[in-house]
Every structure is written in C-alpha cells, then in structure tokens.
Amino acid sequence: MASFVIEGGHRLSGEIHPQGAKNEVLQIICATLLTAEEVTVNNIPDILDVNNLIQLMREMGVTVAKEGIDTYSFKAENVDLAYLESDEFLKKCSSLRGSVMLIGPMVARFGKALISKPGGDKIGRRRLDTHFVGIQNLGADFRYDELRGIYEITADRLQGSYMLLDEASVTGTANILMAAVLAKGTTTIYNAACEPYLQQLCRMLNRMGAKISGIASNLLTIEGVEELHGTQHTVLPDMIEVGSFIGMAAMTKSEITIKNVSYENLGIIPESFRRLGIKLEQRGDDIYVPAQETYEIESFIDGSIMTIADAPWPGLTPDLLSVMLVVATQAKGSVLIHQKMFESRLFFVDKLIDMGAQIILCDPHRAVVIGHNHGFKLRGARLTSPDIRAGIALLIAAMSAEGTSTISNIEQIDRGYQNIEGRLNAIGARITRI
C-alpha cells in the first residue's frame, strides 16, 4: 500500500492543466458498447478507475487501442457474451462503481446484462433504484440472484416510456438514456440529471445517430433508433480538479493559473469559492488565482452565517464540499457545510481536528467550520484517505500544514487524480510517494 509524505508550508507558482473529467469518461466508455463501429475518445485521464474500466472492456472482447497519450479507440464488434456471465467479470464489476453504467448499453444492444453490486467510495448508501426502475420502465425484467449476489436484467426489445425519476441521479440518468436510444418508440425522462457530463454524453450519442432533445434541461426526450454508429469525442476538463486547484492555491497562499478549464461548464463553482473570500479571475478559458494572505467568508445579506450546500446541477457538486470544508479552516469567519447527498462524506473531519482545525461536526450531514484566518497553521499529521474527494482535501490540508504529514491509502486518490504528486511538485509542492 502506497503513501504520500508531504512537506507542508511551500507556496505553489505557475500553470497547471486539469485532467479529463473522470465522471464523464466512465459514461462515455460504457456508451461505446452501443455500436459495433469504432469510437475514438480524446482527453482520457490516466487514473485507476478509468484504467480498470478500459481493461474490463478489453476482457469483454472490445478492441481497445491507445492512439495517443490520452486518446483511445474502442470497437465493440465482437463482445464475448459468455464472459459477461462469468464470475470473473462479476467480481471485477463489484470493485468498480462505474461498472453499473454497463447495464443500459448491454441490455439495449444484447438483450441481457448481469451485474454485481458495484463498489467504489465508502461514502454512505448509494442506491441503484433509479437505474433499475428506469430500465424496468423500458420493459426490462429484473431478477436478483441472492446466492451469487448479482442482478440479472433481460429484455427482448426495450420499449420507449414516460418516466419521472425519483432523484436526479447522474449515473442513473446516463444508464436509462443509453438504454433508451435503441428502444422502440419515444422515451421521456423527467427530473433527469443535466450536468455538463450528461450533456456531453447526449451530444456524443446524437453524433452516433441517436435522437435526443432537451439537452441541458431536466426533461429529455429520446426517439429510439435501430442502430448507432462510430464517432469521435473529446472529454471535458475535470471540474472537480479545477475546484481542487483553486482551494489548494488559497490554502497555500499561492499564485497559480489553471489552464483550459472550459469555464462555461463550471457552473456555480467559481462563485462558491468567491463566497469563501477567494479571489479568482477568468482569463480567456483559464482561471488565475492570485496569492492571498487572507480570505474572508461572506455572510448572507441578513448577516446570518454562510451555508454552502450541495445540490443537483446547476447546484454545487457534492464532490467539492470536502475541498471547500478544508479551505474554510484557514478563512476568516465561519461557515456551515451541508452535505445533503451522502451521509458519510464528512467523517474525515476528525483528521482535520487532529491537525488543529476548529470544526463542529453536527451530524453526518453538517459541519460548522470556524476559520483560523491563517492565524496559525494546521499541524502535520499521519492521515488515511477514506475516499477520492476526502483524499484530495487531506492532501490540500497537508500542503498548507506546518511540518510533515503522511497520507496512507493513496490508492483512493489515484482512483480520481492523474499523477497528482508529479503535477503539483512541478509547481512547487514537496510530495513524495513511498
């Protein structure tokens, strides 16, 4: 098991490029199963979750070729349907959260899918009802095999349907959408997720021959087609990395430029950091963060304490709340962080309290942070990364801390961040992988 050793207190300086978006590329790779023709995808990040899914696609019989440093082609012409029912395949699915999005394409194209309960972050209950009910609405039959612990989904031919989702699940919407594009007739999805990554998936599917309207809204209409074709697609920059770098600059009092961020797709993220008092400027498609000795959390207009909460798009993504919580520990003022969507994501705050942060954990969903105003630094500590986003938040805390910190279980960070120590060391960090 690998660890990071971080020498805190060093300022960063220079330019950094965000990687391709993890949450988008997992959907895009699964969507390549919808056609027998070649699909080429650019800006794929070299991270554990993505690499594991690419390898799984190879083992499924998909022809995968690396065309460039971050470009792959996928051709699902000869998928091994027998392998898709094997215990080996199901075991690999159980360790990869993104594997759940294989269901929609496999049922739509092959009429059958087997999937084990997917793994991923331990951040609380992440139910799959939205996925399953949506695909059932299209006419699929679901059975749960208790002995093997797997879901079996079958359908002779999916049939378009109207559905109102019980939650605006991103992966749930993606799964239903990928099933519906080859269904017979019209499918209407209300309360659909509309994140930029979903918009990207819709546009790629339309280039492949799908007929999806209502893109960027929560009401999607899909006219089913007989088949899809090959295409090329470029993945957006990762908005979570962009936000992580903004927070990192503020915590370490650094001046950095984040390059090619696709600013129009960041939504409320820049403004949410401004609410914490962090200055940032849009320069073309870059974000410039000046060095700040202090930053002060805003209050609401009536003077009450600022609350920062996650919400479905265009609200603030839950993946950035861990970073914003850490950034608030060195701000002037107080803020309530309200993590509505996952009940275990705030449990890493005890590590920050050990480092000297002033945080009151109210319950599994809410924490009050009283900022130090850089009056004194966090202390170096021995830490463990519980999930991807808490891992990067702890790394930011360690980079700003006084002394040396060690973060173990960094495989969790590797799942979502490409060569993070190499890229940060290039602009002044002191991080060693052991």
Side-chain angles (χ1 to χ4, degrees):
M1 184 178 288
S3 301
F4 281 148
V5 177
I6 304 103
E7 187 180 303
H10 295 281
R11 297 199 184 201
L12 311 177
S13 178
E15 298 179 348
I16 192 162
H17 293 257
Q19 67 188 27
K22 167 185 177 283
N23 290 344
E24 176 186 341
V25 77
L26 295 175
Q27 300 173 18
I28 295 299
I29 291 173
C30 291
T32 65
L33 286 171
L34 287 165
T35 178
E37 297 180 19
E38 186 173 271
V39 178
T40 302
V41 186
N42 306 304
N43 200 28
I44 292 182
D46 182 12
I47 56 178
L48 203 55
D49 272 11
V50 172
N51 292 340
N52 285 343
L53 182 58
I54 290 173
Q55 183 57 31
L56 184 62
M57 296 288 280
R58 285 192 178 103
E59 291 164 4
M60 290 166 63
V62 178
T63 302
V64 182
K66 188 169 185 179
E67 307 287 353
I69 192 166
D70 61 2
T71 299
Y72 286 80
S73 65
F74 302 85
K75 192 171 185 181
E77 188 177 20
N78 299 303
V79 175
D80 183 352
L81 299 180
Y83 178 73
L84 303 185
E85 299 185 26
S86 69
D87 289 337
E88 181 186 347
F89 171 74
L90 295 166
K91 183 179 179 181
K92 290 186 176 180
C93 288
S94 68
S95 63
L96 180 62
R97 182 75 195 176
S99 66
V100 71
M101 287 181 290
L102 295 169
I103 296 173
M106 289 197 299
V107 173
R109 187 163 164 223
F110 306 118
K112 185 174 183 179
L114 268 71
I115 198 88
S116 53
K117 188 175 180 180
D121 287 330
K122 302 298 184 278
I123 55 175
R125 192 168 59 96
R126 304 172 80 181
R127 61 191 182 87
L128 299 175
D129 302 50
T130 305
H131 301 247
F132 291 173
V133 171
I135 295 174
Q136 276 181 312
N137 285 337
L138 297 174
D141 179 39
F142 270 72
R143 288 187 296 275
Y144 181 65
D145 184 335
E146 288 190 27
L147 189 62
R148 297 179 72 192
I150 62 170
Y151 300 95
E152 182 179 351
I153 310 100
T154 55
D156 292 332
R157 175 74 192 268
L158 297 174
Q159 179 71 44
S161 171
Y162 170 86
M163 61 188 81
L164 173 58
L165 304 188
D166 64 337
E167 63 172 349
S169 163
V170 176
T171 53
T173 302
N175 230 342
I176 298 164
L177 184 69
M178 289 187 282
V181 290
L182 293 179
K184 184 179 180 181
T186 301
T187 300
T188 304
I189 309 173
Y190 202 12
N191 194 30
C194 53
E195 272 77 355
Y197 306 145
L198 239 303
Q199 298 172 35
Q200 286 278 96
L201 175 64
C202 289
R203 293 187 184 107
M204 183 183 104
L205 291 172
N206 278 351
R207 289 196 303 274
M208 294 169 71
K211 296 179 179 178
I212 304 167
S213 58
I215 298 171
S217 78
N218 69 347
L219 180 60
L220 294 175
T221 302
I222 304 103
E223 300 286 342
V225 297
E226 289 295 323
E227 61 178 355
L228 296 181
H229 306 285
T231 190
Q232 286 210 11
H233 180 79
T234 299
V235 175
L236 286 176
D238 197 313
M239 67 170 78
I240 314 304
E241 256 210 354
V242 172
S244 300
F245 294 149
I246 294 170
M248 202 174 282
M251 281 287 280
T252 57
K253 304 180 184 179
S254 301
E255 176 186 1
I256 68 169
T257 299
I258 310 167
K259 301 291 290 182
N260 303 322
V261 299
S262 189
Y263 197 93
E264 65 181 9
N265 287 299
L266 294 179
I268 202 173
I269 290 171
E271 187 56 37
S272 298
F273 280 102
R274 289 189 182 104
R275 283 183 158 190
L276 295 179
I278 297 168
K279 295 175 183 174
L280 52 96
E281 301 171 22
Q282 180 185 0
R283 295 183 173 179
D285 203 30
D286 303 339
I287 290 178
Y288 169 72
V289 186
Q292 288 178 257
E293 293 301 314
T294 61
Y295 47 96
E296 183 173 357
I297 299 170
E298 294 178 1
S299 297
F300 285 117
I301 291 172
D302 64 0
S304 58
I305 185 172
M306 175 61 61
T307 299
I308 293 180
D310 58 341
W313 188 269
L316 180 64
T317 171
D319 285 349
L320 272 177
L321 280 193
S322 300
V323 170
M324 301 192 83
L325 186 150
V326 166
V327 171
T329 65
Q330 290 296 338
K332 179 181 180 182
S334 301
V335 63
L336 172 64
I337 301 291
H338 192 172
Q339 167 64 268
K340 297 176 181 176
M341 296 170 73
F342 302 109
E343 65 264 22
S344 304
R345 262 202 167 148
L346 296 182
F347 288 165
F348 79 104
V349 302
D350 60 336
K351 308 289 192 296
L352 298 174
I353 293 168
D354 290 342
M355 297 175 78
Q358 292 188 307
I359 304 170
I360 302 165
L361 185 60
C362 308
D363 55 43
H365 292 276
R366 296 177 302 157
V368 175
V369 184
I370 299 103
H372 291 325
N373 191 24
H374 285 298
F376 62 88
K377 291 186 175 183
L378 300 178
R379 299 182 295 270
R382 297 191 68 85
L383 307 164
T384 300
S385 172
D387 64 72
I388 299 175
R389 307 310 176 186
I392 201 70
L394 291 173
L395 181 61
I396 293 171
M399 289 169 64
S400 72
E402 194 169 55
T404 300
S405 299
T406 302
I407 304 178
S408 59
N409 196 31
I410 60 168
E411 287 80 6
Q412 286 287 356
I413 301 175
D414 290 337
R415 286 180 50 218
Y417 293 86
Q418 173 179 314
N419 185 27
I420 190 66
E421 76 275 20
R423 290 189 290 152
L424 294 178
N425 286 342
I427 58 171
R430 302 281 180 87
I431 306 168
T432 304
R433 181 184 291 260
I434 58 171

Short mmCIF file of all heavy atoms in Angstrom, two decimals, residues 154-175:
data_model
loop_
_atom_site.label_atom_id
_atom_site.label_comp_id
_atom_site.label_asym_id
_atom_site.label_seq_id
_atom_site.Cartn_x
_atom_site.Cartn_y
_atom_site.Cartn_z
N THR A 154 -32.95 -8.68 -18.28
CA THR A 154 -33.19 -9.20 -19.64
C THR A 154 -34.31 -8.42 -20.31
O THR A 154 -35.20 -7.87 -19.64
CB THR A 154 -33.58 -10.69 -19.61
OG1 THR A 154 -34.72 -10.86 -18.74
CG2 THR A 154 -32.43 -11.55 -19.10
N ALA A 155 -34.25 -8.36 -21.64
CA ALA A 155 -35.31 -7.71 -22.42
C ALA A 155 -35.20 -8.15 -23.86
O ALA A 155 -34.10 -8.13 -24.44
CB ALA A 155 -35.20 -6.20 -22.32
N ASP A 156 -36.30 -8.58 -24.46
CA ASP A 156 -36.29 -8.92 -25.88
C ASP A 156 -36.08 -7.67 -26.73
O ASP A 156 -35.25 -7.64 -27.63
CB ASP A 156 -37.60 -9.61 -26.28
CG ASP A 156 -37.72 -10.98 -25.63
OD1 ASP A 156 -36.67 -11.60 -25.37
OD2 ASP A 156 -38.85 -11.43 -25.37
N ARG A 157 -36.85 -6.63 -26.46
CA ARG A 157 -36.69 -5.34 -27.14
C ARG A 157 -37.26 -4.28 -26.21
O ARG A 157 -38.41 -4.34 -25.80
CB ARG A 157 -37.44 -5.31 -28.48
CG ARG A 157 -37.41 -3.94 -29.18
CD ARG A 157 -36.06 -3.63 -29.80
NE ARG A 157 -35.92 -2.24 -30.21
CZ ARG A 157 -36.19 -1.78 -31.44
NH1 ARG A 157 -36.69 -2.59 -32.35
NH2 ARG A 157 -35.99 -0.51 -31.73
N LEU A 158 -36.44 -3.32 -25.85
CA LEU A 158 -36.90 -2.26 -24.98
C LEU A 158 -37.93 -1.39 -25.70
O LEU A 158 -37.86 -1.20 -26.91
CB LEU A 158 -35.70 -1.41 -24.52
CG LEU A 158 -34.65 -2.14 -23.69
CD1 LEU A 158 -33.45 -1.24 -23.41
CD2 LEU A 158 -35.23 -2.65 -22.38
N GLN A 159 -38.86 -0.88 -24.89
CA GLN A 159 -39.96 -0.08 -25.43
C GLN A 159 -39.94 1.29 -24.76
O GLN A 159 -39.87 1.39 -23.54
CB GLN A 159 -41.29 -0.78 -25.16
CG GLN A 159 -42.51 -0.01 -25.64
CD GLN A 159 -42.63 0.00 -27.16
OE1 GLN A 159 -42.45 -1.02 -27.82
NE2 GLN A 159 -42.93 1.17 -27.73
N GLY A 160 -39.99 2.36 -25.56
CA GLY A 160 -39.98 3.71 -25.02
C GLY A 160 -41.10 3.93 -24.03
O GLY A 160 -42.17 3.32 -24.11
N SER A 161 -40.85 4.84 -23.07
CA SER A 161 -41.83 5.05 -22.00
C SER A 161 -41.63 6.45 -21.40
O SER A 161 -40.54 7.03 -21.50
CB SER A 161 -41.64 3.99 -20.91
OG SER A 161 -42.41 4.26 -19.77
N TYR A 162 -42.68 6.95 -20.76
CA TYR A 162 -42.56 8.18 -19.96
C TYR A 162 -42.14 7.78 -18.55
O TYR A 162 -42.65 6.81 -17.99
CB TYR A 162 -43.88 8.94 -19.90
CG TYR A 162 -43.87 10.08 -18.89
CD1 TYR A 162 -43.39 11.34 -19.24
CD2 TYR A 162 -44.32 9.88 -17.58
CE1 TYR A 162 -43.36 12.37 -18.31
CE2 TYR A 162 -44.28 10.90 -16.65
CZ TYR A 162 -43.80 12.15 -17.02
OH TYR A 162 -43.76 13.17 -16.09
N MET A 163 -41.21 8.52 -17.96
CA MET A 163 -40.85 8.25 -16.56
C MET A 163 -40.46 9.54 -15.85
O MET A 163 -39.90 10.46 -16.43
CB MET A 163 -39.72 7.23 -16.48
CG MET A 163 -38.43 7.63 -17.13
SD MET A 163 -37.25 6.25 -17.19
CE MET A 163 -37.83 5.35 -18.63
N LEU A 164 -40.81 9.59 -14.57
CA LEU A 164 -40.43 10.70 -13.68
C LEU A 164 -39.49 10.10 -12.64
O LEU A 164 -39.91 9.31 -11.80
CB LEU A 164 -41.67 11.30 -13.02
CG LEU A 164 -41.45 12.36 -11.93
CD1 LEU A 164 -40.67 13.55 -12.47
CD2 LEU A 164 -42.77 12.82 -11.35
N LEU A 165 -38.21 10.45 -12.72
CA LEU A 165 -37.22 9.87 -11.82
C LEU A 165 -37.43 10.35 -10.39
O LEU A 165 -37.75 11.52 -10.16
CB LEU A 165 -35.80 10.22 -12.28
CG LEU A 165 -35.41 9.84 -13.71
CD1 LEU A 165 -33.93 10.09 -13.93
CD2 LEU A 165 -35.77 8.40 -14.02
N ASP A 166 -37.22 9.45 -9.42
CA ASP A 166 -37.40 9.83 -8.02
C ASP A 166 -36.24 10.69 -7.52
O ASP A 166 -36.35 11.36 -6.50
CB ASP A 166 -37.58 8.60 -7.14
CG ASP A 166 -36.36 7.69 -7.12
OD1 ASP A 166 -35.56 7.75 -8.06
OD2 ASP A 166 -36.21 6.92 -6.15
N GLU A 167 -35.11 10.67 -8.21
CA GLU A 167 -34.00 11.57 -7.90
C GLU A 167 -33.23 11.83 -9.20
O GLU A 167 -33.21 10.99 -10.10
CB GLU A 167 -33.07 10.99 -6.84
CG GLU A 167 -32.36 9.70 -7.24
CD GLU A 167 -31.31 9.27 -6.22
OE1 GLU A 167 -30.99 10.06 -5.32
OE2 GLU A 167 -30.80 8.15 -6.36
N ALA A 168 -32.60 13.00 -9.26
CA ALA A 168 -31.87 13.39 -10.47
C ALA A 168 -30.48 12.76 -10.44
O ALA A 168 -29.46 13.45 -10.39
CB ALA A 168 -31.79 14.90 -10.58
N SER A 169 -30.44 11.44 -10.47
CA SER A 169 -29.19 10.70 -10.41
C SER A 169 -28.43 10.83 -11.73
O SER A 169 -28.99 10.59 -12.80
CB SER A 169 -29.48 9.22 -10.13
OG SER A 169 -28.37 8.41 -10.43
N VAL A 170 -27.14 11.21 -11.64
CA VAL A 170 -26.33 11.38 -12.85
C VAL A 170 -26.11 10.03 -13.53
O VAL A 170 -26.40 9.86 -14.72
CB VAL A 170 -24.98 12.04 -12.52
CG1 VAL A 170 -24.11 12.13 -13.77
CG2 VAL A 170 -25.20 13.43 -11.95
N THR A 171 -25.60 9.06 -12.77
CA THR A 171 -25.34 7.75 -13.39
C THR A 171 -26.65 7.04 -13.74
O THR A 171 -26.72 6.31 -14.73
CB THR A 171 -24.49 6.86 -12.47
OG1 THR A 171 -25.11 6.78 -11.18
CG2 THR A 171 -23.09 7.42 -12.31
N GLY A 172 -27.69 7.27 -12.94
CA GLY A 172 -28.99 6.69 -13.25
C GLY A 172 -29.54 7.23 -14.56
O GLY A 172 -30.02 6.47 -15.42
N THR A 173 -29.48 8.55 -14.73
CA THR A 173 -29.94 9.16 -15.99
C THR A 173 -29.13 8.64 -17.17
O THR A 173 -29.67 8.31 -18.22
CB THR A 173 -29.83 10.70 -15.91
OG1 THR A 173 -30.60 11.18 -14.80
CG2 THR A 173 -30.34 11.34 -17.18
N ALA A 174 -27.80 8.56 -16.99
CA ALA A 174 -26.92 8.08 -18.07
C ALA A 174 -27.30 6.66 -18.47
O ALA A 174 -27.38 6.33 -19.67
CB ALA A 174 -25.47 8.15 -17.63
N ASN A 175 -27.54 5.81 -17.49
CA ASN A 175 -27.87 4.41 -17.75
C ASN A 175 -29.19 4.29 -18.53
O ASN A 175 -29.28 3.56 -19.52
CB ASN A 175 -27.98 3.66 -16.43
CG ASN A 175 -27.18 2.37 -16.42
OD1 ASN A 175 -26.80 1.85 -17.45
ND2 ASN A 175 -26.93 1.86 -15.24
#
